[in-house]
Amino acid sequence: MAAQGTEAIGVDLGGTNIVAALVQDGVVRAEHKIATPDTGPDAAIAEIAALVAQLDDSGRLPVGLGAPGQVNEAGQLLSKANLPGWEPPVPLADMLASACHRSDVAVGNDVNVAALAEQRHGAGRDATDMMVVFVGTGVGSGLILDGTLRTGPRGLAGEFGHIVVGLGDRVCGCGGVDHLEAYAGRRCMSATARSWHAVGRESQLVHDGGKRSIKSRVYEAAVDAGDEVALDLIATAAEALGRGIATVVSLVDIERVVIGGGLGERLGAPFIARIDQAYREARFADAPVEIVPAALGDHAGPIGAALLALTA
């Protein structure tokens, strides 16, 4: 057994799946994964408590949870995010503590805790001022300043996907106009591809993507095939991300940006190179910033949630 204070249970609550892991010294030792119930928070918390019990039948380990959406300092979920059947506010920390029969629980935004994992055990280990950006269905980020995760009193720090980038009039999923996520989040990109398709600009993305948000692997295949719509959308996404990074650097002077998420990982080095070039063209001053791929993949969420529990 590890020494006390080196183990915790980390839970990543997603709209599709819940992943719970036993984490020791930043390494996943065991994990369980189930589909997220679509009947609301009570059912989800009951499932999480069952997973926690499987991983720690002693009831002695702290538990951390990363949840999508705005989470305040009291562990309350204040936004609906993409969780079916949830109506905010949801007192997640209190519900989790009660269901797991322990007081040492911590709840944070899923992207923030994943950023914490990358900073401690992944691609940001030697950086003290950095941002971790997850490019997937939407665009989320976690901001690390002076070595500390910065969330803000209302959990709004690091809402990178909702800064204005000056690229046009596309509408974000939140209803805002010209937000970064409108150009670089898969849900909005997919809506754009389908609107173009409807007026005659056909694309492999629409043919292969099905009726829901087009998956990252479909974008990867379309880019590899030279699909013009896919190439156009990805070029614009990189432009938006580069401009957004330039804005953040001008405001808080970060030194490294870690790119993860389904789309970021699928498109890999060429995509990161495009983002870097867009940043260089948009930056205010000669301020070199390392833009690098994430290192922890799907384990970033549970590892970060466990770290949150250990440091709460």
Side-chain angles (χ1 to χ4, degrees), residues 96-143:
L96 185 63
S98 177
C100 294
H101 306 292
R102 65 191 81 193
S103 59
D104 48 352
V105 303
V107 177
N109 169 267
D110 55 352
V111 177
N112 280 334
V113 300
L116 186 63
E118 286 287 349
Q119 190 251 350
R120 299 283 180 83
H121 299 288
R125 274 178 287 188
D126 58 344
T128 57
D129 295 276
M130 58 177 284
M131 179 170 64
V132 180
V133 178
F134 290 89
V135 187
T137 304
V139 178
S141 75
L143 190 62

Side-chain angles (χ1 to χ4, degrees), residues 9 11-13 45 48 63-67 92 96 106-109 113 305 308:
I9 306 298
V11 183
D12 185 18
L13 170 61
I45 291 295
I48 290 170
V63 176
L65 172 67
L92 271 180
L96 185 63
V107 177
N109 169 267
V113 300
L308 186 68

Side-chain angles (χ1 to χ4, degrees), residues 68-263:
Q70 182 187 354
V71 180
N72 67 9
E73 291 179 328
Q76 297 173 316
L77 183 67
L78 301 180
S79 61
K80 193 170 183 177
N82 61 347
L83 296 168
W86 292 55
E87 292 298 332
V90 180
L92 271 180
D94 290 343
M95 293 174 69
L96 185 63
S98 177
C100 294
H101 306 292
R102 65 191 81 193
S103 59
D104 48 352
V105 303
V107 177
N109 169 267
D110 55 352
V111 177
N112 280 334
V113 300
L116 186 63
E118 286 287 349
Q119 190 251 350
R120 299 283 180 83
H121 299 288
R125 274 178 287 188
D126 58 344
T128 57
D129 295 276
M130 58 177 284
M131 179 170 64
V132 180
V133 178
F134 290 89
V135 187
T137 304
V139 178
S141 75
L143 190 62
I144 309 287
L145 299 177
D146 293 327
T148 301
L149 179 67
R150 172 63 178 167
T151 60
R154 292 164 294 183
L156 287 173
E159 284 290 355
F160 182 63
H162 299 287
I163 64 175
V164 175
V165 289
L167 281 173
D169 58 1
R170 288 189 197 171
V171 178
C172 180
C174 73
V177 177
D178 196 41
H179 288 189
L180 190 154
E181 189 172 296
Y183 304 97
R186 276 194 298 108
R187 183 185 288 114
C188 293
M189 292 166 65
S190 299
T192 300
R194 290 193 173 97
S195 68
W196 288 350
H197 187 84
V199 295
R201 192 177 179 191
E202 295 193 2
S203 171
Q204 179 178 326
L205 290 171
V206 178
H207 289 297
D208 296 349
K211 295 183 179 180
R212 297 185 178 182
S213 180
I214 300 168
K215 300 296 185 182
S216 297
R217 58 177 171 76
V218 178
Y219 278 93
E220 180 186 30
V223 168
D224 289 345
D227 181 89
E228 290 187 4
V229 168
L231 291 171
D232 190 347
L233 288 170
I234 295 304
T236 303
E239 176 74 12
L241 288 160
R243 289 190 182 194
I245 291 168
T247 298
V248 173
V249 172
S250 295
L251 185 64
V252 292
D253 197 16
I254 55 175
E255 59 191 351
R256 183 175 302 173
V257 176
V258 176
I259 304 291
L263 196 60

